[in-house]
Amino acid sequence: MYRPLVLTCVFVAACLDAGAEDDQDDLMNQAFENAQGDGKADGGCSGVVVPDRNGFDKHVALTFDDGPNPATTPQIIAILKKHHAPATFFNNGIRYAVAGAKELAAQIAADPDYLLGNHSQHHLDLSKESATKVASEVALTDTLIRAAGETPKYFRFPFGAASCAAKAHVEGLGYTVVGWHIDSADWCYAAGHGTCKKATFKYVPDALRSDMLGYVMSQVHATNGGVILFHDIHQSTADHLDAVLTAMEHAGFSFVRLDDASVFPRLAHVSPKFIGDSCAADTDCTFSGGRCHPAGFCTVACNGTCADATGKASTFCMADDITADTGMCVSKAAAQNQSCALLPDTEARVVSRFVGTSASAPATANVCAPR
């Protein structure tokens, strides 16, 4: 986010007044509260809630907002390289007007470890802007990022502040809206010259108000990983980043790209594996009790019936071909599995229901059964 610092005034038409600063602080405090929820309270229109809420297993996606800044972004990149850490840079288009910024963006776009994301042109609260203004803010920066050599696929609303209409517009352009799980509060520590004041951001514990490293680590441990928000425009962020990443590594955390579907399947629009989906190992079948059958599909033990999932082929409980005296769930032959063609070690076959000790009635179904 923009702060009323000398650095900010270099890039915008006018420096922010005290009232604008207070408004932005309020927005970031609200974003912290929103990030704790599931996004359902506002009908799924949140710009900060990430659809993947847990299961990060100490994986962290590093994101940096408000650049590129030729004075500090190269320092950030050097530290990332030292730690072999991928990252996503959410750019404001107005920054590209500074000498060297376009070249820096092109350097980032060309590096396979990094992604360029769209953070709008002028870093406005888009939840309050007209549809025409929202479209312009997105399009101007989109053009600049594409000119840098990246086809942007992620958009982050400034302050995480979105309206339903603004989010629908962004997603209609093919973007995925990305919020964060962890706010590093680096913007607050930068504003206070090393101290995050309670009047600026109320969610930092008093004991950590002069300890950015301690605060970041407390948040990372609380979520066990996830998407973390930094800003590459602040010198203080560059000064602290090496220690932060070192502490994360020592605590067993590792760094992944934002589009890592194994960590953020919903963000990457990859549906989790379910009964009947292809698999190579038990770890692919992450639902409760799931395992990978030797024939290469996810299954789970059953007694008469199996659960179904939206968008997946219907399921059926048949006798387990390995143990015989138990049941296993399989998918019915359906369009989702191309009548079992997507599961080459199975065949479409009519089988009887495994009733077991359940009260289910006898039945048959055409399923994808192991060959």
Side-chain angles (χ1 to χ4, degrees), residues 128-358:
K128 297 180 179 178
E129 298 295 334
S130 67
T132 300
K133 185 62 174 177
V134 170
S136 173
E137 285 289 308
V138 178
L140 288 170
T141 300
D142 181 276
T143 297
L144 290 167
I145 293 176
R146 290 177 189 275
E150 179 103 49
T151 300
K153 59 181 180 179
Y154 292 116
F155 184 89
R156 174 169 283 165
F157 279 91
F159 320 108
S163 66
C164 291
K167 188 173 183 182
H169 174 76
V170 169
E171 292 177 335
L173 296 173
Y175 277 102
T176 295
V177 173
V178 180
W180 56 86
H181 302 100
I182 305 161
D183 183 349
S184 69
D186 62 339
W187 55 275
C188 184
Y189 286 98
H193 305 286
T195 298
C196 180
K197 298 177 181 179
K198 190 171 185 177
T200 303
F201 190 49
K202 62 186 178 182
Y203 290 106
V204 171
D206 289 344
L208 300 175
R209 291 209 168 273
S210 297
D211 183 5
M212 178 177 157
L213 172 60
Y215 176 69
V216 172
M217 292 307 299
S218 72
Q219 296 303 294
V220 172
H221 280 297
T223 60
N224 203 36
V227 179
I228 184 168
L229 168 67
F230 289 103
H231 299 78
D232 55 315
I233 60 170
H234 299 309
Q235 183 60 53
S236 58
T237 299
D239 292 342
H240 283 86
L241 188 61
D242 185 35
V244 169
L245 299 190
T246 298
M248 288 187 190
E249 290 169 329
H250 287 170
F253 291 88
S254 58
F255 311 112
V256 297
R257 281 181 31 141
L258 189 60
D259 57 357
D260 189 322
S262 67
V263 181
F264 310 112
R266 292 181 175 84
L267 192 62
H269 302 295
V270 176
S271 299
K273 297 287 188 181
F274 190 64
I275 296 164
D277 285 337
S278 62
C279 58
D282 289 345
T283 52
D284 293 336
C285 308
T286 55
F287 54 91
S288 179
R291 63 181 174 87
C292 188
H293 189 278
F297 62 87
C298 288
T299 186
V300 66
C302 59
N303 187 34
T305 60
C306 300
D308 285 336
T310 302
K312 302 289 187 177
S314 298
T315 61
F316 191 73
C317 183
M318 65 172 285
D320 192 314
D321 64 327
I322 297 175
T323 64
D325 58 348
T326 60
M328 68 173 185
C329 291
V330 295
S331 60
K332 294 180 181 179
Q336 291 92 332
N337 51 46
Q338 295 182 12
S339 297
C340 306
L342 295 181
L343 303 168
D345 290 330
T346 72
E347 60 182 1
R349 188 168 75 240
V350 175
V351 300
S352 298
R353 167 177 283 158
F354 178 84
V355 175
T357 59
S358 73

Side-chain angles (χ1 to χ4, degrees), residues 73-163:
T73 304
Q75 299 177 51
I76 298 289
I77 291 174
I79 296 167
L80 293 172
K81 288 296 183 185
K82 175 183 175 181
H83 291 269
H84 306 288
T88 301
F89 294 85
F90 285 96
N91 285 181
N92 291 131
I94 195 172
R95 298 276 181 177
Y96 282 56
V98 176
K102 289 183 179 179
E103 292 78 9
L104 180 54
Q107 174 190 337
I108 294 172
D111 195 311
D113 285 336
Y114 307 135
L115 295 167
L116 282 179
N118 191 331
H119 197 38
S120 81
Q121 185 74 6
H122 295 100
H123 205 279
L124 305 174
D125 177 358
L126 297 182
S127 70
K128 297 180 179 178
E129 298 295 334
S130 67
T132 300
K133 185 62 174 177
V134 170
S136 173
E137 285 289 308
V138 178
L140 288 170
T141 300
D142 181 276
T143 297
L144 290 167
I145 293 176
R146 290 177 189 275
E150 179 103 49
T151 300
K153 59 181 180 179
Y154 292 116
F155 184 89
R156 174 169 283 165
F157 279 91
F159 320 108
S163 66

